[in-house]
DNA sequence: GCCGATTTGACCTTCTTTGACTATATTATA
DNA sequence: TATAATATAGTCAAAGAAGGTCAAATCGGC
């Protein structure tokens, strides 16, 4: 029953909960060695158990000094934000809907005025309008911001 | 975890910030000796961390009495920002170049840490990487931010 | 036996370190 | 004053050190 992937998942979540910051940093190769598996097994675990919809963010760097960084999102503390994230499963956001959403984040003081201006400028049709599937892209851009807002280490 | 290149970068930036003038002069061979590495390692650090797009100018002289001189440039006025906007007519910005540019705006305090994080999240390859012409899109996104920075009503 | 979940490995991309070879200045020597 | 020796720094490509991707093989439950 307990697959390798499960064991690695448990191991990582344990380490993660032992951290104060909710940020865990390690080497993929080390982890692979601990569990005596191929390195890509780690990627499998990360993508199936530590996705953003499951409340985690993963950053990494290649090359010498490379690392994996797993970041826990405080999904439970911010039900409002989390609800927005789901976005009704919608994969596209119109310009208008996008701006409204940002305005709402402003009102609820999740964002400063300047931050709101930056985001609005970046999801503007004059910038992304010519891209194929602009509304899909806008959705992705906004989602990236929402995920950021859920990070413990964001507010600082 | 931290690479040699990182350590040298930190060391140099520390020395640099301790200067009044923003000019640091030293011998490549001395530095290499301090860090017990080959001299060309220093060139690697200079080219990856102290490039002009990152706000530094490096002058040097060979031969007896040779030296390296690292000069910190500051974006203290609008024309400089506009120059960044032009970007040498480049219509594409790689992930790496984009991050470095944002880092520079951070160091120059045109952006807050949070603002930098927001922008970086939005120009991340995981968000825009799958778009056709991702580097072109990234260029457009960054330019939108630079334009915003030039607006009188932005700073407030 | 089918199907989704897991495991594995071949190949790819990015970043760093190293060293052989090159270029340029200064200093000593003929 | 040429020239040779010495002292620096620069360039570039190969090797090394990570992590990423993707598809084929395998496993387990129904």
């Amino acid at each position: 029953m307990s697959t390798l992937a499960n064991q690695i998942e448990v191991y990582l979540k344990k380490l993660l909960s032992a951290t104060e910051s909710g940020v865990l940093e390690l080497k993929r190769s080390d982890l692979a060695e601990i569990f005596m598996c191929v390195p890509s097994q780690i990627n499998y675990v990360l993508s199936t158990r530590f996705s953003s919809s499951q409340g985690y963010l993963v950053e990494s760097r290649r090359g010498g000094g490379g690392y994996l960084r797993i970041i826990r999102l405080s999904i439970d503390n911010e039900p409002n934000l989390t609800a927005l994230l789901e976005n009704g499963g919608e994969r596209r956001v119109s310009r208008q809907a996008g701006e409204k959403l940002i305005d709402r984040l402003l009102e609820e003081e999740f964002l400063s005025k300047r931050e709101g201006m930056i985001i609005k400028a970046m999801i503007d049709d004059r910038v992304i309008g010519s891209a194929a599937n602009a509304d899909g892209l806008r959705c992705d851009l906004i989602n990236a911001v929402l995920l950021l807002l859920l990070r413990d280490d964001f507010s600082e």
Side-chain angles (χ1 to χ4, degrees), chain A residues 131-151:
Chain A
N133 188 20
D135 287 353
L137 176 59
R138 186 162 16 237
C139 178
D140 292 341
L141 288 169
I142 289 175
N143 254 347
V145 172
L146 290 173
L147 288 176
L148 195 56
L149 292 180
L150 285 169
R151 286 176 60 156

Side-chain angles (χ1 to χ4, degrees), chain A residues 8-22:
Chain A
I8 298 174
E9 174 189 6
V10 167
Y11 177 78
L12 289 177
K13 290 189 172 166
K14 193 170 178 181
L15 284 188
L16 203 47
S17 67
T19 69
E20 180 65 30
S21 56

Side-chain angles (χ1 to χ4, degrees), chain A residues 102 105-106 109-119:
Chain A
I102 301 305
L105 293 175
L106 278 166
E109 295 183 316
F110 281 112
L111 293 172
S112 73
K113 188 177 161 206
R114 274 173 54 127
E115 289 162 357
M117 289 175 83
I118 289 173
I119 297 164

Side-chain angles (χ1 to χ4, degrees), chain A residues 90-119:
Chain A
E90 189 56 67
R91 294 301 309 143
R92 299 160 53 76
V93 174
S94 69
R95 191 207 94 250
Q96 208 174 21
E99 285 193 1
K100 262 190 191 169
L101 201 154
I102 301 305
D103 282 335
R104 199 170 141 200
L105 293 175
L106 278 166
E107 277 171 30
E108 297 183 26
E109 295 183 316
F110 281 112
L111 293 172
S112 73
K113 188 177 161 206
R114 274 173 54 127
E115 289 162 357
M117 289 175 83
I118 289 173
I119 297 164

Side-chain angles (χ1 to χ4, degrees), chain A residues 8 11-12 15 24-47 58-70:
Chain A
I8 298 174
Y11 177 78
L12 289 177
L15 284 188
L24 177 62
E25 197 170 300
L26 40 77
K27 283 202 184 303
R28 185 180 76 154
S29 52
D30 286 353
L31 195 52
E33 197 159 352
I34 292 173
F35 286 94
M36 294 183 296
C37 63
V38 294
S40 57
Q41 174 76 272
I42 309 303
N43 296 78
Y44 176 71
V45 173
L46 291 178
S47 62
V58 178
E59 297 178 340
S60 66
R61 205 181 152 103
R62 307 187 194 191
Y67 59 81
L68 291 179
R69 188 182 294 149
I70 305 174

